[in-house]
Amino acid sequence: MLYPQFNLFRQSNDLSGFWDFCFDREQVGETQGWPSGFSHGRPIAVPASWNDQFEDGRDYLGPAWYQIRFDLPWNWQDKRIFVRFGSVNYLATVWLNGTQIGGHEGGHLPFEFDITALVQPQANCLVVRVDGELAFDRVPPGNVTGDTVDFFPSHGGNTPQAQFDFFPFCGIQRPVLLYATPLQALQDITVVTDLVGSEGKLRVRAQKYDQTEASARFSLRGYGQDISVETQFNGDSAEALISVPEAALWSPAAPNLYELSVELLQNGAVQDVYSLPVGIRTVVVDGERLLLNGQPIYLTGFGRHEDFPVVGRGLLPPVIVKDYALMNWIGANSFRTSHYPYSEEMLALADRLGFLVIAETPAVGLYFREDGLERRLELCSQYVRELITRDKNHPSVIMWSVANEPHSKPPHAKPFFRQLYDEAHALDSTRPVTLVSTVGLAEESFEFCDVLCLNRYNGWYVQSGDIPKGLQVLSEDLDAIHEKYGSKPLILAEFGADAVSGMHAQPPEMFSEEYQAEIIARTIEVLRQKSYVVGEHVWNMCDFKTCQGVGRVGALNHKGVFTRDRRPKLAAHRLREIWGAK
Ligand code: GCB
């Protein structure tokens, strides 16, 4: 799936701004004709979550309705026209000029509609119904009843009732783009890179919308190279192999990016062009090591969230820039997109700035009770497909994570994840696939995962208040998992402690900044003694909003080493000493 681009052949118009908005608590929108437009809306900012924009909307999860009117630019005749949503949480139904054009389930991946036949030059009305309600057969799940699942921070119920530890922000959270391509246009591009000695090898494939005769010219530029290869389309796809002598490789230390430009040609005339940055690099699991370009890598960094005051989970570019600056300051080289795919804008900067990313699907809080299981599997498999389709060309993405902390003990968990693992590998044979587990020794899916990712809170949720005891248990636990699941690399994907900013204690006590700094530093000492550990991701980079519950003071998870407004706690300074400034 190509991100909309602006060039001689393509244009895109960002519909961000103030839209009309209303809640639909009585669920009357459709019967009252709102799909054709409504007149009682109040202004709302798009993109952003709705929850913190209105006092009466904080815990309201939908349905709600959005509407915007637009004209087309004067030169969009004879174009193929699309409307593309970066993400809408959770369920979207979309109408254009009163006609339903489609829908999408899942809150963190893009979807688009070809609106060429329906769109008018002027006075178009785009309406979106958004339902973010939590349900047992949605992923991630919520409002789960019965005794199968106990989500610990709730201790008797949290509000809203999410089956995961972050606020279920709702709405149109990433940009809505209107874009135009030529009628004969490229639909997708896939780039896979490899290395033979110092020579970079690129396998590139272009897909177009139809089967008409045409050729593709692939041109790679940068670092003294300007290489062009032209091939015929076979049906709707064209492939080429490009060799790059003395390739300038992509890595965190040197995030070199070539520019690949793909032209669609008919009878020698260019019909369409799409350009994308390409990083030449390899990622390989070799026994218990993880290799980038043939060299062992060790991940330092965080599990994170897309979360900021007022915008909620809405895209806010200055925060992205700030967060990379802070990760750079602290010496992080990587992060996990816990617990859902992050914005395409975030990943584009990871490519440019040289960060390694474990890209995760929204499969968090999964449980394996039979009711709704089939639907949850269908959704998880859709997410794997959509995530890989969207992010396959990012050199920064080094691994796919198919789930976080599933309640994996029931017997159907293993075949469930085997299917997701196989699907991920079938779509992308070049990246390792992992699953982030908390059950450790009991996680049978570790048998086939390429890398083991583990979350552990020794000295916090268990062995509370006793860091030495906690770390002894952790050390034994890691060795046992390593022994049981063979020689595979292991990443401690979460560890840490809540610290309420400004709370201090000597000797360190739980919830103080000193305790958090101590537990993080001492855990890292344990990890560094284990040859099979290839990464340490502290939970979390920043404090973040959660549902209300007795385990979450101020409806925040305080495990950030930065506050929610990005100020360092003691642990951030300690980490900077350990990880070293770049
Ligand atoms: C976990 C979860 C994460 C929580 C964290 C915590 O294991 O993966 O979503 O926020 O623990 O702080 O409890």
Side-chain angles (χ1 to χ4, degrees):
M1 184 181 220
L2 299 177
Y3 191 82
Q5 201 160 79
F6 201 102
N7 62 30
L8 268 183
F9 297 86
R10 295 176 163 249
Q11 289 181 37
S12 105
N13 242 14
D14 191 341
L15 295 181
S16 297
F18 298 117
W19 292 40
D20 299 322
F21 178 76
C22 61
F23 292 137
D24 186 8
R25 293 180 197 269
E26 312 303 325
Q27 310 218 13
V28 294
E30 279 179 82
T31 50
Q32 296 194 355
W34 299 0
S36 304
F38 51 89
S39 52
H40 56 285
R42 51 179 159 174
I44 187 170
V46 170
S49 309
W50 73 57
N51 309 80
D52 283 341
Q53 294 190 62
F54 308 109
E55 290 205 1
D56 57 341
R58 215 269 314 279
D59 293 335
Y60 180 67
L61 305 183
W65 292 69
Y66 288 77
Q67 161 185 287
I68 190 155
R69 294 180 191 275
F70 66 88
D71 296 344
L72 289 186
W74 61 273
N75 58 349
W76 280 24
Q77 291 95 4
D78 301 324
K79 301 275 183 207
R80 199 186 276 267
I81 300 172
F82 296 85
V83 61
R84 182 191 205 264
F85 295 82
S87 74
V88 177
N89 195 40
Y90 166 85
L91 201 60
T93 315
V94 186
W95 291 264
L96 180 66
N97 302 329
T99 301
Q100 187 171 329
I101 55 174
H104 183 263
E105 180 159 2
H108 311 277
L109 285 156
F111 55 95
E112 63 182 24
F113 306 105
D114 184 334
I115 54 171
T116 318
L118 260 185
V119 73
Q120 307 159 171
Q122 285 183 306
N124 291 284
C125 177
L126 182 67
V127 173
V128 189
R129 179 184 190 271
V130 183
D131 174 5
E133 197 47 271
L134 296 163
F136 75 99
D137 58 351
R138 294 183 172 181
V139 177
N143 283 329
V144 177
T145 50
D147 56 3
T148 325
V149 183
D150 175 30
F151 180 56
F152 64 84
S154 62
H155 289 298
N158 51 353
T159 303
Q161 277 206 312
Q163 198 60 39
F164 45 86
D165 185 29
F166 53 91
F167 193 84
F169 283 115
C170 299
I172 302 181
Q173 304 189 131
R174 293 184 192 144
V176 183
L177 301 175
L178 208 58
Y179 74 96
T181 70
L183 294 175
Q184 299 289 329
L186 295 162
Q187 186 178 15
D188 197 16
I189 297 171
T190 308
V191 184
V192 171
T193 69
D194 202 357
L195 268 178
V196 179
S198 60
E199 192 169 63
K201 297 279 187 196
L202 268 71
R203 223 167 357 102
V204 283
R205 193 177 75 238
Q207 260 172 283
K208 62 186 179 64
Y209 284 101
D210 58 37
Q211 311 263 336
T212 50
E213 250 182 57
S215 61
R217 183 157 54 219
F218 300 95
S219 306
L220 192 77
R221 297 192 190 92
Y223 309 96
Q225 301 289 345
D226 190 345
I227 306 166
S228 266
V229 179
E230 196 170 321
T231 70
Q232 281 299 120
F233 272 91
N234 182 2
D236 63 0
S237 78
E239 288 196 13
L241 199 65
I242 301 177
S243 298
V244 189
E246 300 303 326
L249 303 185
W250 184 96
S251 70
N256 296 313
L257 291 172
Y258 290 82
E259 189 194 330
L260 175 72
S261 131
V262 183
E263 289 163 298
L264 171 64
L265 303 157
Q266 268 184 329
N267 303 321
V270 180
Q271 306 294 323
D272 188 19
V273 177
Y274 193 92
S275 301
L276 80 163
V278 168
I280 302 177
R281 58 108 186 90
T282 58
V283 181
V284 170
V285 170
D286 175 31
E288 56 186 37
R289 300 181 313 164
L290 185 61
L291 306 181
L292 181 78
N293 301 330
Q295 301 298 317
I297 43 165
Y298 191 88
L299 307 186
T300 57
F302 300 100
R304 319 174 21 116
H305 270 293
E306 289 185 324
D307 173 271
F308 202 70
V310 187
V311 291
R313 192 143 294 122
L315 177 83
L316 198 54
V319 175
I320 294 181
V321 172
K322 173 83 179 173
D323 282 0
Y324 278 119
L326 290 176
M327 285 195 278
N328 210 36
W329 173 82
I330 207 169
N333 63 12
S334 56
F335 61 91
R336 173 167 60 115
T337 71
S338 40
H339 296 307
Y340 38 80
Y342 288 3
S343 69
E344 290 155 287
E345 292 76 5
M346 180 87 190
L347 289 178
L349 274 201
D351 292 344
R352 275 182 67 178
L353 300 174
F355 282 84
L356 305 167
V357 178
I358 300 176
E360 188 158 281
T361 73
V364 53
L366 279 182
Y367 64 103
F368 293 89
R369 219 163 60 188
E370 303 251 0
D371 49 337
L373 188 63
E374 210 173 306
R375 180 67 194 130
R376 289 196 292 275
L377 179 56
E378 255 170 47
L379 276 168
C380 288
S381 128
Q382 172 198 321
Y383 296 156
V384 165
R385 237 178 7 256
E386 290 181 351
L387 172 67
I388 296 181
T389 308
R390 191 193 73 162
D391 290 347
K392 62 190 171 187
N393 293 328
H394 288 288
S396 54
V397 174
I398 56 162
M399 205 178 297
W400 307 114
S401 159
V402 296
N404 179 72
E405 295 200 356
H407 300 257
S408 287
K409 287 183 187 153
H412 357 284
K414 193 176 175 188
F416 188 103
F417 289 119
R418 181 79 226 194
Q419 180 176 329
L420 298 181
Y421 173 92
D422 288 344
E423 282 174 3
H425 265 301
L427 288 166
D428 176 10
S429 59
T430 70
R431 289 176 176 93
V433 175
T434 188
L435 170 152
V436 183
S437 175
T438 189
V439 296
L441 269 180
E443 183 57 74
E444 292 187 16
S445 303
F446 273 180
E447 277 171 37
F448 48 81
C449 284
D450 303 311
V451 174
L452 311 182
C453 283
L454 200 70
N455 296 345
R456 280 288 177 267
Y457 288 95
N458 301 89
W460 185 253
Y461 291 125
V462 287
Q463 300 90 39
S464 310
D466 189 344
I467 297 176
K469 175 77 186 142
L471 295 185
Q472 186 196 328
V473 174
L474 174 70
S475 175
E476 290 164 8
D477 188 22
L478 293 178
D479 288 344
I481 291 167
H482 173 63
E483 193 157 316
K484 175 162 179 192
Y485 292 104
S487 172
K488 291 185 184 186
L490 187 148
I491 295 169
L492 197 62
E494 288 184 24
F495 62 101
D498 286 78
V500 177
S501 171
M503 186 171 281
H504 293 281
Q506 176 54 37
E509 276 178 348
M510 292 179 76
F511 291 98
S512 68
E513 293 195 27
E514 285 79 3
Y515 193 90
Q516 182 193 39
E518 182 80 0
I519 206 168
I520 289 173
R522 305 265 299 266
T523 304
I524 288 176
E525 282 169 17
V526 172
L527 301 179
R528 299 282 173 102
Q529 288 159 18
K530 318 244 175 236
S531 61
Y532 55 84
V533 173
V534 300
E536 53 203 35
H537 277 179
V538 172
W539 189 258
N540 189 285
M541 176 165 162
C542 303
D543 293 348
F544 59 91
K545 177 113 177 102
T546 63
C547 301
Q548 296 178 71
V550 292
R552 293 291 172 259
V553 180
L556 289 178
N557 183 311
H558 290 270
K559 293 193 188 67
V561 304
F562 296 94
T563 58
R564 197 176 184 214
D565 64 350
R566 276 47 182 174
R567 293 166 201 282
K569 301 181 192 170
L570 194 61
H573 294 284
R574 184 73 73 84
L575 273 173
R576 186 167 190 252
E577 283 163 22
I578 297 171
W579 287 343
K582 276 186 200 161

